[in-house]
Amino acid sequence: MKRYKGMTLRFMIGVLVLVSALLTAIVGGYSAFSSTRNSLALNHLENNYQYAKKISSETNILLTSMQENMNFIANNAQEQTLTQKETDLLLQANKQYFNSIFFADSNRVIQQVSPTGSGLAVGTQLTSEVSIEAVQLKKPFISDPYLATSGRLILLVSSPVFDKEGTYKGFVGGTIYLEEDNVLSNMLNEHFYGNGSYVYVVDRQGHLIFHPNKKRINEFVSGNAIIQKVISGKSSFEQTKNSLGTEYFIGYSYEKSSGWGIVSQTPVSVLKEPLNKLIVSMIMQGLPFLLFILLIAFGVSFIISKPLYQLAKFSEDAIADNKTAPLDRPIIRSRVYEVRQLAHHIHNHFDQLNSENRIDGLTGIANRKTFEQVMQGWIESQLPFCLILLDIDHFKKVNDTYGHVKGDEVLVFTASIMQKFSRVEDVCFRFGGEEFGILVKTGNMETAANLAECLRSEIETSKSPTGGAVTISLGIAVYPEDAGQSTEVIEKADFALYQSKADGRNKTTIYAD
């Protein structure tokens, strides 16, 4: 089963940087989005509130002008009885305010009316509660909307008429047809916008006096919380749902003289387009900056992770390939302290492991594993060499006579002389037990034979740790003349070594077919 290696540090740092950058962008973007949305919402609320106050002021001016004009007509009626012609002229002069003008006596009987086809006729007695209230009050009066005998929904502005002696003669009235074009609708229609914003007006009872949708005129809407607040005399702004359940930014103002409530509202949905544009703008402006940050971050992560990746790959390959002395160690160039220290200690650790794995612990020369690796490497490189195998003669007798400690000393003694006579490029090794060898690099048979004989002669004539002399037997094989594979080279040299022993020991034998 293949071992799961896990994610690389480079990948994890990259993901961390990417996630961090995206989260930062999202949080920053949401903060900007939320701040802009709140700012736009507050701006719409304040604008609608200021607009409602402005309309309230304009409505007050309009009602005051209408009432003053009606008072002027009442003063004329006090001086003389109005004729039809005079009534028509008065309507023509106040056409911008009223749809009709009439004069009714104290019994509410129509004396004059203009236009004559308005649904009222001279001699008709008014029976509406509004006309009764106008007679009872005997003072300037602006009514709530009511349904006239003509079937129209009407708003009445009236003023009492007194003779020179102060006797109440009746009242003059100007009517506004709320369901038709009128001065109020003409003024308020100027404040209707294509984005869904509009203004509407309610009377003191909660009936719609003006609304862009004329079908809703006189609709009772006091159940709406905003309507309840404004007709109770409050002026403010808030975000809430209207009577139809649509969410709006609403500003409202109370008009004191009439008791009317003016409401200006903008649907919350108007924020959708500017907020969408804001999101697109933030993405377009922030994307290059985000990409630049990611590029820098990935560059930094690459600088940090590359040497660590090299070290990890180096150790993995060394173990996988069973290398004890990797020659292609990565050169780590990093300014990061931890990386430099890690590389230094890993290299030291490998040196220590290599030393332990390559060197024979007793003699200090190469061990059999190193010998096999070096020889295989030379064969793969097709480098010619000679292999000298040697064996200490009668070594078991040395151990039996002088003990194993002295035997070990003899082994060390033999290895030291091997190193003394071998060249720098040659490799001395302990093959196992009392058997040693020398790999003679790029040497011919003559070079190897001379080295073997010098070594044999030196050991024979030198005083060993036992106090006497020891001898060795040697066998030589040549690559590639004698063999083309490492095992064959060893077999041929070993065959030559045992031939030396068979011939009486203390000899050098060169392999020959």
Side-chain angles (χ1 to χ4, degrees):
M1 182 176 179
K2 188 176 181 180
R3 182 174 63 88
Y4 174 66
K5 295 183 178 181
M7 295 179 288
T8 63
L9 179 62
R10 186 185 309 173
F11 175 78
M12 294 181 68
I13 292 177
V15 171
L16 177 62
V17 169
L18 178 62
V19 171
S20 299
L22 288 177
L23 286 178
T24 301
I26 291 172
V27 171
Y30 178 77
S31 177
F33 175 85
S34 180
S35 176
T36 302
R37 187 187 185 285
N38 292 338
S39 177
L40 289 174
L42 182 61
N43 183 61
H44 279 291
L45 287 169
E46 290 181 342
N47 284 346
N48 279 319
Y49 174 58
Q50 294 300 327
Y51 224 75
K53 288 177 65 177
K54 176 185 176 183
I55 300 304
S56 176
S57 175
E58 292 179 357
T59 301
N60 178 268
I61 293 172
L62 175 65
L63 293 177
T64 299
S65 297
M66 293 169 68
Q67 188 66 69
E68 288 176 352
N69 284 12
M70 195 52 59
N71 291 342
F72 175 77
I73 295 173
N75 289 334
N76 286 340
Q78 178 182 352
E79 298 293 333
Q80 58 185 0
T81 301
L82 294 175
T83 64
Q84 183 63 45
K85 183 178 180 180
E86 290 173 338
T87 304
D88 291 339
L89 289 174
L90 287 172
L91 177 62
Q92 189 66 30
N94 291 276
K95 189 175 181 179
Q96 74 273 26
Y97 293 129
F98 305 110
N99 295 102
S100 67
I101 291 177
F102 65 89
F103 170 62
D105 62 16
S106 58
N107 294 317
R108 305 186 307 282
V109 176
I110 299 296
Q111 302 299 315
Q112 294 292 343
V113 61
S114 180
T116 54
S118 61
L120 296 177
V122 175
T124 302
Q125 184 180 36
L126 300 175
T127 59
S128 65
E129 293 183 2
V130 170
S131 62
I132 295 173
E133 186 175 2
V135 171
Q136 291 175 345
L137 289 175
K138 295 182 177 59
K139 62 180 182 179
F141 167 66
I142 298 176
S143 73
D144 291 329
Y146 70 97
L147 197 64
T149 55
S150 63
R152 292 187 175 97
L153 187 64
I154 289 178
L155 189 70
L156 173 66
V157 179
S158 68
S159 184
V161 178
F162 298 92
D163 60 17
K164 294 181 178 180
E165 287 75 26
T167 304
Y168 179 71
K169 294 175 58 179
F171 66 92
V172 291
T175 61
I176 302 171
Y177 302 160
L178 293 178
E179 296 170 313
E180 302 174 21
D181 288 338
N182 57 74
V183 62
L184 188 63
S185 64
N186 290 337
M187 180 188 74
L188 295 179
N189 271 328
E190 296 177 1
H191 308 289
F192 179 78
Y193 301 97
N195 66 356
S197 300
Y198 63 91
V199 175
Y200 64 89
V201 182
V202 294
D203 66 13
R204 71 190 76 212
Q205 304 300 327
H207 293 89
L208 286 170
I209 297 175
F210 168 79
H211 195 280
N213 182 1
K214 293 184 181 298
K215 293 180 179 180
R216 297 193 63 187
I217 299 297
N218 203 38
E219 182 180 328
F220 187 66
V221 291
S222 64
N224 186 302
I226 295 296
I227 302 302
Q228 292 177 359
K229 291 178 181 179
V230 70
I231 62 179
S232 67
K234 297 179 180 178
S235 298
S236 185
F237 60 83
E238 59 186 89
Q239 179 179 335
T240 187
K241 293 181 180 180
N242 69 354
S243 57
L244 298 180
T246 305
E247 195 167 10
Y248 281 86
F249 299 118
I250 297 177
Y252 51 93
S253 179
Y254 178 70
E255 203 287 300
K256 296 181 180 179
S257 64
S258 61
W260 293 354
I262 290 86
V263 180
S264 176
Q265 62 184 31
T266 301
V268 174
S269 59
V270 300
L271 297 185
K272 184 177 181 180
E273 183 177 353
L275 289 177
N276 287 342
K277 289 182 178 179
L278 173 64
I279 293 174
V280 173
S281 176
M282 286 192 299
I283 292 175
M284 297 303 295
Q285 294 179 13
L287 188 59
F289 184 66
L290 176 61
L291 292 176
F292 177 73
I293 291 178
L294 289 177
L295 183 63
I296 296 298
F298 277 114
V300 173
S301 68
F302 179 79
I303 292 173
I304 294 174
S305 63
K306 181 181 178 181
L308 296 176
Y309 177 80
Q310 288 177 313
L311 290 173
K313 192 73 171 61
F314 163 67
S315 60
E316 181 182 6
D317 291 344
I319 294 173
D321 297 339
N322 198 26
K323 296 177 181 177
T324 57
L327 300 178
D328 54 344
R329 297 186 184 184
I331 299 175
I332 304 301
R333 296 184 177 93
S334 175
R335 295 183 180 276
V336 180
Y337 170 78
E338 290 81 356
V339 174
R340 294 168 65 91
Q341 289 297 102
L342 179 61
H344 174 72
H345 290 301
I346 285 179
H347 284 166
N348 286 346
H349 183 61
F350 264 99
D351 289 340
Q352 182 179 353
L353 290 177
N354 286 340
S355 178
E356 293 175 354
N357 290 331
R358 291 169 54 88
I359 305 302
D360 178 65
L362 177 63
T363 62
I365 62 175
N367 58 19
R368 179 170 179 173
K369 185 175 183 179
T370 303
F371 151 70
E372 291 175 347
Q373 286 184 340
V374 173
M375 183 173 62
Q376 185 61 38
W378 289 358
I379 291 175
E380 290 175 357
S381 302
Q382 296 184 344
L383 186 69
F385 63 90
C386 296
L387 171 60
I388 303 174
L389 287 181
L390 60 98
D391 190 277
I392 300 174
D393 295 330
H394 304 295
F395 184 71
K396 183 176 184 303
K397 185 177 180 181
V398 173
N399 280 334
D400 293 342
T401 304
Y402 300 101
H404 288 281
V405 174
K406 282 296 180 181
D408 289 346
E409 292 177 2
V410 170
L411 295 176
V412 174
F413 162 76
T414 304
S416 65
I417 295 178
M418 288 170 57
Q419 289 179 304
K420 177 181 176 181
F421 282 90
S422 62
R423 301 173 304 173
V424 175
E425 63 268 28
D426 298 334
V427 178
C428 298
F429 59 90
R430 183 183 177 190
F431 198 74
E434 71 277 15
E435 192 170 0
F436 295 84
I438 301 174
L439 282 170
V440 183
K441 188 175 183 180
T442 60
N444 54 29
M445 178 60 72
E446 183 180 355
T447 302
N450 289 336
L451 173 59
E453 275 301 301
C454 289
L455 177 60
R456 185 195 62 77
S457 177
E458 179 69 19
I459 292 178
E460 179 185 22
T461 58
S462 298
K463 185 179 179 180
S464 74
T466 63
V470 293
T471 62
I472 59 173
S473 298
L474 304 96
I476 303 174
V478 181
Y479 171 85
E481 286 84 347
D482 295 333
Q485 300 295 327
S486 60
T487 55
E488 294 176 354
V489 175
I490 296 172
E491 288 175 357
K492 300 294 176 66
D494 195 50
F495 182 85
L497 168 61
Y498 278 92
Q499 186 63 45
S500 294
K501 289 187 176 184
D503 291 340
R505 292 184 170 84
N506 194 22
K507 292 181 179 296
T508 299
T509 301
I510 299 173
Y511 176 81
D513 290 334

